[in-house]
């Protein structure tokens, strides 16, 4: 499959049904492979609201358009009202 880029994704937001599905659909459109996915829910500090936390290690083709991926994830973060960060790992 050729050279791969290693990426990491972190997400935090109010828990709701479908977050993982929405995020993984964006990742799949950009040819990302999820190598590791960790999720948890926890009470928000100083509030009774439940926050959803997700961490993922990804691999993508070397030629993946990281700007387009980041833009699609940013658009999704506004839709879902969550914070998503994407970074490259070594």
């Amino acid at each position: 499959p050729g050279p791969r880029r290693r990426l990491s994704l972190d997400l935090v937001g109010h828990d709701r049904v479908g977050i993982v599905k929405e995020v993984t659909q964006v990742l799949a459109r950009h040819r990302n492979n999820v190598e590791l996915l960790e999720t948890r829910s926890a009470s928000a500090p100083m509030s009774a609201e439940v926050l959803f936390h997700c961490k993922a290690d990804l691999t993508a083709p070397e030629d993946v358009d990281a700007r387009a991926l980041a833009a699609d994830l940013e658009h999704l973060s506004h839709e879902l009202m969550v914070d998503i960060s994407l970074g490259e790992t070594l």
Side-chain angles (χ1 to χ4, degrees), residues 2 5 11 26-27 37-38 43-44 52 60 66 71 77-78 80 86 90:
R5 294 174 77 172
L11 178 148
V26 170
L27 296 174
L37 180 70
E38 297 176 351
S43 294
F52 178 76
S77 74
H78 293 301
L80 299 177
L86 181 70
L90 300 174

Side-chain angles (χ1 to χ4, degrees), residues 45-83:
M46 300 177 10
S47 115
E49 294 179 288
V50 176
L51 291 180
F52 178 76
H53 299 260
C54 175
K55 266 180 132 17
D57 292 338
L58 315 168
T59 56
E62 188 69 32
D63 66 346
V64 71
D65 185 345
R67 287 183 188 195
L69 172 59
D72 282 356
L73 288 171
E74 183 175 335
H75 176 75
L76 182 63
S77 74
H78 293 301
E79 273 183 28
L80 299 177
M81 295 189 297
V82 297
D83 291 324

